[in-house]
Amino acid sequence: MSGEGGALIVIGAGHAGTELAVQAREAGWPGAIRLVGDETALPYHRPPLSKAYLAGTATLDSLHLKARATLEKAGVELLQGRRVQALDPAARRVAFEDGSSIGYARLALATGGRPRPLPAAIAGAAEDADNFHYLRTLADVDRIRRHFAPGARVAIVGGGYIGLEVAAVAIKAGLKVTVLEAADRVLARVTAPRVSSFYEQVHREAGVDLRIGVQVDGFELDAARRRVTGVHCADGERLACDLVIVGIGIVPNTELAAAAGLAVDDGIRIDACARTSDPHIVAAGDCTRFDSALYGRSVRLESVPNALEQARSAAAALLGHERPFEIAPWFWSDQYDLKLKMVGLSQGHDQFLLRGSVEQRSFSAFYLKGERVIAVDTVNRPAEFMLARRIVGERRVIPPERLVDDGAPLKSLLQEALPL
Ligand SMILES: Cc1cc2nc3c(=O)[nH]c(=O)nc-3n(C[C@H](O)[C@H](O)[C@H](O)COP(=O)(O)OP(=O)(O)OC[C@H]3O[C@@H](n4cnc5c(N)ncnc54)[C@H](O)[C@@H]3O)c2cc1C
């Protein structure tokens, strides 16, 4: 390998970057591997941040993606708390904020995403207040947990997965919880109205003050301008609060790639094997966008399974192997006693079918486009989820009347089903 000692530099030490670094070594990368991350913690699992870690039932140690010894054994040099400021693909160098730079033979971008900020005109000075938070990193949650006292009033802006998971944990911890969602239902981007209304009911029954169709249009601060004391809504309502948590999606971290001239389009463009438009650079995880063969359009996914799959393909690509990464995208969310697992992308479905019982909190929701099942949400049905992954991934056709027949095991239907 040419370039600084044949070094592989991986930027971003999250799920994708850490997996990529270790897999590159396993696949036979011969030179140095430098995993660069701007966070100071050892690489960690992000999903528990809004679940068990926020609830205080998971320890920091249990969050680590790999033990330090495992990284050392794989010869992965971890550069923590180092932020890459610029790439120079022509010279094959990356420059850090402190002015230093290092060279590479190959580069991997696994820069993930950052929370989508509220518009400045709405957030204003609240962004700098001690009790106003976004939730993406361990450091964010450690700050949030300091305000998690029983009786404290938390206003959660956004009724997506993160907002709802935080609401479930907060209500259990004895906080007074209000969720403010601008759309006319929660989880609107990812589920059908029936699933949204189920989750709305569950949260309300648990004691969450869930408000939909509510636009936040400003915040009230104390005299010292250190703390947010209230949230203003467009309908004129003012809500007193002790803590604000905003969860309104993410923005992919593509600036380094774009400035270096790589193809970027709301995500670093990669091919089916995680290669970017630069032959020396691969990319993986939340920061990427690719043409999905399964859905016939370009997609950007925000999930751990996608980050890991792409990382494995990127590692293979670095060694010159073709390993396409696309699997049916899947995701999970834990709220109360509900284990929601979803596979596929439901946008564009023309038929929605339910199997099982919403009342008994055990059901699967099927999204069909024509004959094809394009996505499935399962609630407390782990075995059906495994089968649903095959139905979606293998494009199996199962007649709608059979899908909704809860008496017919999905497994037997899968055996009868033909690929489209
Ligand atoms: C609270 C929460 C709950 C979630 N729950 C689930 C879930 O239940 N299931 C699921 O599948 N997914 C879940 N996700 C999404 C999942 O965590 C992400 O899809 C996954 O972390 C993506 O991994 P990544 O490595 O691509 O990006 P990230 O995890 O974002 O890692 C990227 C890293 O790169 C660093 N970085 C960026 N730019 C630079 C730079 N210039 N220099 C140095 N370092 C840089 C970032 O700081 C970050 O540490 C959740 C996310 C959050 C925030």
Side-chain angles (χ1 to χ4, degrees):
M1 294 286 164
S2 62
E4 199 126 324
L8 163 64
I9 295 181
V10 182
I11 306 178
H15 287 269
T18 306
E19 181 73 8
L20 201 161
V22 171
Q23 290 296 325
R25 181 66 80 211
E26 288 217 344
W29 181 264
I33 300 180
R34 302 201 165 96
L35 176 59
V36 183
D38 58 0
E39 295 186 62
T40 48
L42 205 57
Y44 59 87
H45 288 275
R46 239 173 251 290
L49 296 186
S50 49
K51 308 177 181 77
Y53 187 71
L54 180 62
T57 54
T59 61
L60 179 55
D61 282 352
S62 71
L63 295 196
H64 292 148
L65 288 171
K66 307 272 179 202
R68 195 179 287 279
T70 308
L71 294 175
E72 279 168 10
K73 200 163 158 227
V76 173
E77 186 189 342
L78 181 61
L79 304 177
Q80 291 167 278
R82 301 287 306 273
R83 184 162 181 80
V84 173
Q85 188 164 344
L87 314 178
D88 182 346
R92 286 201 236 159
R93 297 192 74 77
V94 306
F96 294 98
E97 272 184 336
D98 62 7
S100 62
S101 72
I102 49 177
Y104 61 84
R106 293 285 185 279
L107 181 67
L109 299 173
T111 46
R114 57 183 181 275
R116 181 175 296 285
L118 278 172
I122 294 175
E127 290 254 4
D128 301 321
D130 296 338
N131 59 345
F132 178 100
H133 302 280
Y134 294 98
L135 200 173
R136 180 76 187 175
T137 66
L138 191 59
D140 292 335
V141 183
D142 286 341
R143 278 192 297 269
I144 289 170
R145 277 171 57 170
R146 291 205 282 271
H147 302 275
F148 249 57
R153 298 158 301 178
V154 57
I156 299 171
V157 182
Y161 292 124
I162 290 183
L164 295 184
E165 287 180 355
V166 170
V169 172
I171 216 79
K172 223 173 149 190
L175 281 81
K176 294 196 169 77
V177 183
T178 305
V179 173
L180 303 165
E181 168 56 53
D184 60 359
R185 59 189 177 91
V186 300
L187 300 174
R189 278 192 308 147
V190 286
T191 61
R194 184 69 189 89
V195 180
S196 297
S197 65
F198 167 70
Y199 272 90
E200 286 163 9
Q201 189 188 339
V202 168
H203 278 277
R204 286 187 174 127
E205 282 171 5
V208 174
D209 177 4
L210 177 65
R211 306 187 188 189
I212 53 178
V214 173
Q215 196 83 43
V216 170
D217 73 354
F219 296 90
E220 219 168 81
L221 289 141
D222 66 356
R225 301 185 76 69
R226 295 270 312 276
R227 291 183 63 78
V228 177
T229 53
V231 183
H232 287 174
C233 303
D235 60 7
E237 172 106 25
R238 184 221 169 239
L239 239 144
C241 67
D242 304 301
L243 170 65
V244 177
I245 300 173
V246 181
I248 55 169
I250 69 160
V251 180
N253 291 324
T254 58
E255 288 77 3
L256 283 179
L262 271 63
V264 167
D265 165 22
D266 181 41
I268 303 167
R269 294 293 313 215
I270 55 171
D271 69 7
C273 295
R275 295 171 292 218
T276 70
S277 56
D278 180 308
H280 299 107
I281 307 179
V282 294
D286 283 14
C287 64
T288 69
R289 174 173 287 276
F290 65 97
D291 290 325
S292 163
L294 206 52
Y295 291 96
R297 63 175 193 271
S298 85
V299 298
R300 181 171 62 73
L301 302 174
E302 298 163 11
S303 82
V304 168
N306 174 66
L308 297 179
E309 274 300 310
Q310 290 187 343
R312 289 166 195 150
S313 296
L318 290 167
L319 275 299
H321 308 304
E322 299 232 334
R323 179 198 180 275
F325 56 78
E326 189 169 14
I327 51 166
W330 65 276
F331 193 85
W332 72 93
S333 177
D334 300 339
Q335 297 167 44
Y336 310 103
D337 60 334
L338 305 172
K339 298 265 178 219
L340 171 63
K341 288 187 163 189
M342 294 139 286
V343 58
L345 303 174
S346 60
Q347 289 92 344
H349 69 277
D350 50 35
Q351 206 181 154
F352 174 78
L353 301 168
L354 266 181
R355 172 190 178 89
S357 164
V358 174
E359 292 69 32
Q360 287 173 25
R361 298 178 173 226
S362 167
F363 62 92
S364 295
F366 293 87
Y367 301 82
L368 278 75
K369 188 170 184 182
E371 290 185 283
R372 195 178 137 203
V373 179
I374 56 169
V376 184
D377 302 336
T378 64
V379 171
N380 293 342
R381 293 202 160 194
E384 273 190 10
F385 172 71
M386 297 311 288
L387 296 163
R389 281 182 68 185
R390 290 193 51 199
I391 293 175
V392 174
E394 296 169 15
R395 305 172 196 225
R396 299 289 180 133
V397 173
I398 301 179
E401 64 280 8
R402 307 277 282 149
L403 281 176
V404 296
D405 179 2
D406 209 18
L410 211 51
K411 196 169 183 180
S412 66
L413 301 185
L414 190 65
Q415 277 152 8
E416 293 165 25
L418 295 172
L420 195 64

